[in-house]
Amino acid sequence: CVRDNESISRNAIAELKGISNSTVTRIVESLILDDDLLEENGYESVARGRPRRLLNFKGHNKYIIGIDLGTTYIRGLLSDFNAEHIKEIEVVTDPERGISHVTEKIHYIIDALLSAKLVDKDSIKGIGIAVAGMITGMSGIIEYSPAFNWRNVDLLKILKKRIELPVYCDNVSRLMALGEQVFGRGSQYNNFLVINVGYGIG
């Protein structure tokens, strides 16, 4: 809510979201003190009472790595929390060479983005991976990927052996829809459809 409504007060958040001021205050304090995602910046004048403190989203100094695990190419992107692109890397997938080869390519991209020295390494908060296939919830287990001919592959378990950052994995079309809902034209609709046309159709 703060990210989408730059410079907003706690009272305005409570009104927009239909929750109590005390709940908003509790969540905001956690986002300021524990997560360092919000900051107080300036005041809003009101007809009666004290001016209200305004909140801003701090997305410029925290980063994530996104991986698009495609059948033809694997693309990696370093981005800040405002979705501003910092660096992108692309390598050929070669899926016919097996899971070990593909995961090695993923590690190569992650290592290259981590060692690029474009941002403070400690400010990279996690890694998200988009994969074509049926994935069980947030477990990262790929039940079936026809593009890779994988069945019951625990991708997160394989990757976490060498990665200390939090890693998340989900279906590529579902993540495209989520991105469109948060940052794109989907934000103005209650329901919408995303069709992903590539090596396959999702």
Side-chain angles (χ1 to χ4, degrees), residues 59-175:
H60 62 281
N61 61 352
K62 294 166 193 66
Y63 306 90
I64 53 173
I65 291 174
I67 304 288
D68 177 15
L69 179 52
T71 315
T72 309
Y73 294 99
I74 304 173
R75 296 179 177 90
L77 176 71
L78 178 65
S79 167
D80 69 11
F81 276 28
N82 291 322
E84 294 293 329
H85 296 185
I86 310 297
K87 183 176 179 63
E88 186 171 352
I89 296 174
E90 179 179 279
V91 297
V92 176
T93 310
D94 295 327
E96 68 280 355
R97 297 180 64 178
I99 294 172
S100 296
H101 178 79
V102 172
T103 54
E104 195 60 40
K105 290 282 187 87
I106 295 172
H107 280 300
Y108 166 79
I109 288 177
I110 292 170
D111 290 343
L113 291 172
L114 286 172
S115 61
K117 297 183 179 179
L118 297 170
V119 301
D120 178 8
K121 200 172 179 178
D122 292 334
S123 62
I124 300 175
K125 303 301 181 181
I127 299 167
I129 302 176
V131 185
M134 296 171 60
I135 298 176
T136 309
M138 294 296 289
S139 69
I141 296 175
I142 303 167
E143 293 182 23
Y144 177 52
S145 176
F148 290 95
N149 195 27
W150 290 351
R151 290 186 184 274
N152 299 315
V153 172
D154 193 339
L155 184 62
L156 293 189
K157 185 177 180 180
I158 296 169
L159 294 175
K160 285 180 177 179
K161 290 177 180 177
R162 285 170 49 185
I163 298 172
E164 295 181 1
L165 289 167
V167 186
Y168 303 92
C169 178
D170 207 341
N171 171 271
V172 61
S173 299
R174 193 156 53 215
L175 291 175

Side-chain angles (χ1 to χ4, degrees), residues 3 6 30 50 54 84 102 113 125 128 143 170 187 196:
R3 185 189 62 216
E6 188 177 350
S30 173
R50 293 181 301 174
L54 295 173
E84 294 293 329
V102 172
L113 291 172
K125 303 301 181 181
E143 293 182 23
D170 207 341
S187 61
N196 177 12

